[in-house]
Amino acid sequence: MVHVGIGYDVHPLVEGRRLVLGGVEIPHAKGLEGHSDADALMHALTDAVLGAIGEVDIGHLFPNTDAAWKNAPSRIFLEEAARRVRERGGRIVNVDASLAAEQPKIYPHLAAMKANIAAALGIPPGKVGVKATTNERMGFVGREEGIAAMAVASVDLPE
Ligand code: MG
């Protein structure tokens, strides 16, 4: 039986931080602030996978009060979500995500992001969708105050 999950995440853009999205470090004047590497794309995907199997969200599994996750690569969180799927005898069918960022240009990095996400989930890159859009200069994304990510996951679970 195929189950679906949804995930959403946002992190503020600040000076003096690296910008990491989908496990790719992107050269930019600002980076995302957060306890881990603040990879909003990996976080949204993690919540989508966890949601598909009815688990608690990433913030409860990996609290930002736990020093173990300080500056941690968010690939760890996605790998753990995938491990929980396998633990239930399940299989990730596909994932899809959209990034909302005014700057920088995301397109040149999409292939590398997909490869990283696919590796973390243990699925082929062809089962990973990542798109990017600007916010047409509106709202916090449009003012370049932050970057948002949305994701869905479909997971085949035994009855
Ligand atoms: Mg987050």
Side-chain angles (χ1 to χ4, degrees):
M1 174 86 77
V2 171
H3 295 61
V4 297
I6 185 172
Y8 171 79
D9 196 34
V10 59
H11 282 267
L13 270 173
V14 297
E15 284 173 11
R17 286 274 300 186
R18 299 182 308 141
L19 176 59
V20 181
L21 289 168
V24 177
E25 184 164 346
I26 301 173
H28 193 48
K30 293 178 176 180
L32 293 175
E33 185 172 62
H35 184 66
S36 63
D37 65 3
D39 187 331
L41 176 56
M42 288 274 194
H43 294 182
L45 284 160
T46 301
D47 263 352
V49 173
L50 291 171
I53 58 172
E55 292 257 2
V56 296
D57 61 70
I58 186 174
H60 282 85
L61 280 187
F62 305 100
N64 62 10
T65 48
D66 188 336
W69 316 122
K70 181 81 181 150
N71 294 319
S74 296
R75 170 181 42 81
I76 292 172
F77 310 145
L78 198 53
E79 285 170 351
E80 173 60 16
R83 192 193 65 75
R84 288 177 183 232
V85 170
R86 289 192 300 272
E87 192 175 65
R88 290 170 179 235
R91 176 181 69 89
I92 296 167
V93 179
N94 77 305
V95 295
D96 188 24
S98 286
L99 277 168
E102 207 64 36
Q103 294 279 350
K105 285 275 169 279
I106 303 295
Y107 183 80
H109 309 286
L110 286 181
M113 290 178 184
K114 286 184 187 184
N116 288 341
I117 292 159
L121 291 173
I123 62 176
K127 305 285 187 186
V128 177
V130 182
K131 297 92 59 200
T133 180
T134 72
N135 222 40
E136 299 288 352
R137 307 220 64 86
M138 295 182 291
F140 70 88
V141 169
R143 291 189 298 271
E144 299 178 38
E145 293 167 1
I147 288 177
M150 288 144 277
V152 291
S154 92
V155 174
D156 196 3
L157 288 177
E159 285 298 303

